[in-house]
């Protein structure tokens, strides 16, 4: 059973994340979950050459429009033909059924592939998304998804992304609280025959030192490998649940705003609306910011 990790490199590397180190941690977790693992440098490159027998893709990369690591040469934008091939392979993978695990700064990567952002269900938006300084974070398990069944709340040394605007229905698995507001931290989606889990955790290797975080990812990978998934009408994340009418989500789901610009319809019983988005521009938690509070605004 094959898993491929698409690791930040070139334009998807940045000054704040050591993708080589965190991808190695993710590879170890995936091997513990029973996968044969390959690490590929660059998410566009990885999707362009994605083989049909890959069961799970783990995306661990940064914003292609963000700053590069210190003293790194600018590799330039990927060739148009490469992007076209990556988009086609991504679409084909979603159609046949694949598991997608996107972690941390993957909320800002693969901007060349709009379909990836649509599948993710949220995006890091400069000037709107941010994170508190890295430190001990409380992770609150929520909902009734199989991934979180039997797991308890835990703490982890990490930075928790905040103010990621939702663009579709998600099934929350974990949340964190900031300024008295709960924000989605880990969620699942079913996309026809494919499945996706996004985790905003994973800034550096200290996050993966948490046994509880590793167990959460083990469970996510076990759920993701069960593809092709049955295409169930009304499944959380199904396109019919996030149409322009802002229809209600499934029980226990959070939904994004109405894409037409409105606030969307009232949430169904047992659902929660997308969290309040906070201002701020992306900057690292270990870098000074222009905000009165030291809130990080880097992806």
């Amino acid at each position: 059973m094959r898993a491929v990790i698409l690791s930040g490199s070139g334009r998807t590397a940045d000054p704040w994340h050591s993708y080589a180190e965190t991808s190695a941690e993710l590879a170890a977790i995936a091997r513990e979950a029973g996968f044969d693992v390959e690490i590929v440098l660059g998410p566009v490159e990885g999707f362009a050459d994605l083989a049909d027998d890959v069961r799970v893709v783990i995306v661990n990369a940064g914003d292609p429009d963000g700053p590069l690591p210190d003293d790194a040469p600018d590799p330039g934008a990927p060739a148009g033909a490469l992007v076209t091939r990556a988009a086609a392979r991504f679409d084909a993978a979603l159609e046949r059924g694949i598991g997608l695990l996107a972690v941390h700064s993957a909320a800002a990567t693969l901007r060349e592939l709009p379909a990836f952002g649509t599948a993710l269900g949220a995006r890091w938006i400069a000037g709107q998304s941010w994170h508190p300084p890295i430190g001990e974070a409380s992770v609150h398990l929520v909902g009734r998804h199989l991934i979180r069944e039997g797991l308890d709340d835990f703490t982890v040394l990490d930075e928790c992304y905040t103010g990621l605007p939702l663009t579709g229905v998600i099934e929350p698995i974990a949340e964190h609280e900031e300024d008295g507001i709960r924000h989605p931290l880990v969620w699942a989606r079913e996309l026809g025959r494919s499945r996706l889990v996004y985790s905003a955790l994973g800034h550096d290797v200290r996050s993966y030192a948490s046994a509880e975080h590793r167990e959460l990812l083990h469970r996510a990978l076990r759920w993701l490998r069960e593809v092709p998934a049955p295409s169930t009408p009304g499944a959380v994340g199904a396109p019919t649940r996030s149409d322009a009418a802002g229809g209600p989500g499934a029980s226990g789901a959070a939904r994004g705003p109405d894409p037409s610009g409105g606030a969307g319809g009232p949430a169904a019983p047992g659902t929660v609306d997308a969290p309040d988005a906070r201002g701020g521009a992306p900057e690292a938690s270990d870098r000074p910011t222009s905000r009165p509070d030291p809130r990080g605004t880097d992806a």
Side-chain angles (χ1 to χ4, degrees):
M1 189 164 46
R2 292 187 62 196
V4 171
I5 298 174
L6 308 184
S7 187
S9 179
R11 291 180 70 244
T12 56
D14 62 41
W16 313 295
H17 301 97
S18 177
Y19 292 112
E21 293 181 355
T22 51
S23 290
E25 291 290 333
L26 288 163
I29 292 168
R31 290 188 184 103
E32 291 165 3
F35 288 90
D36 296 322
V37 183
E38 177 186 2
I39 297 176
V40 176
L41 299 183
V44 171
E45 293 82 355
F47 273 123
D49 294 329
L50 188 68
D52 290 344
D53 64 341
V54 172
R55 184 78 64 87
V56 169
V57 174
I58 302 171
V59 183
N60 180 41
D63 191 342
D65 298 329
L68 296 170
D70 297 340
D71 302 322
D74 187 349
L82 184 70
V83 173
T84 299
R85 191 165 82 245
R89 297 298 296 164
F90 180 73
D91 289 345
L94 284 183
E95 179 65 25
R96 72 172 178 268
I98 196 165
L100 295 169
L101 173 61
V103 298
H104 200 58
S105 58
T109 204
L110 282 169
R111 297 193 186 276
E112 304 92 341
L113 304 187
F116 176 77
T118 300
L120 202 60
R123 267 307 202 185
W124 177 281
I125 304 297
Q128 185 171 347
S129 306
W130 58 282
H131 60 76
I134 193 167
E136 286 291 331
S138 296
V139 178
H140 304 285
L141 280 300
V142 298
R144 300 184 298 277
H145 198 281
L146 285 173
I147 291 173
R148 66 88 61 215
E149 195 172 87
L151 294 180
D152 296 322
D153 295 354
F154 62 93
T155 59
V156 63
L157 185 61
D158 214 324
E159 57 183 28
C160 297
Y161 283 3
T162 304
L164 299 177
L166 297 179
T167 58
V169 173
I170 64 170
E171 184 164 358
I173 293 171
E175 299 174 338
H176 75 101
E177 186 171 318
E178 185 67 25
D179 294 340
I181 298 171
R182 286 287 188 99
H183 299 267
L185 192 62
V186 181
W187 63 75
R189 305 192 78 207
E190 294 197 28
L191 308 162
R193 294 164 63 84
S194 295
R195 289 177 166 180
L196 175 139
V197 171
Y198 172 72
S199 171
L201 298 172
H203 175 74
D204 61 27
V205 294
R206 293 172 292 179
S207 176
Y208 297 111
S210 162
E212 294 87 353
H213 184 194
R214 295 176 78 91
E215 176 60 21
L216 183 64
L217 292 175
H218 284 150
R219 288 164 172 250
L221 287 166
R222 289 196 291 269
W223 182 73
L224 289 169
R225 73 188 181 193
E226 298 301 324
V227 290
S231 183
T232 306
V236 173
T240 55
R241 291 290 190 172
S242 56
D243 60 18
S251 177
R255 62 178 172 80
D258 182 346
S260 65
T271 69
V272 294
D273 285 320
D276 202 8
R278 298 303 176 104
E283 229 145 309
S285 58
D286 54 0
R287 246 169 49 166
T289 76
S290 58
R291 295 174 60 88
D293 296 332
R295 294 175 174 175
T297 53
D298 61 288

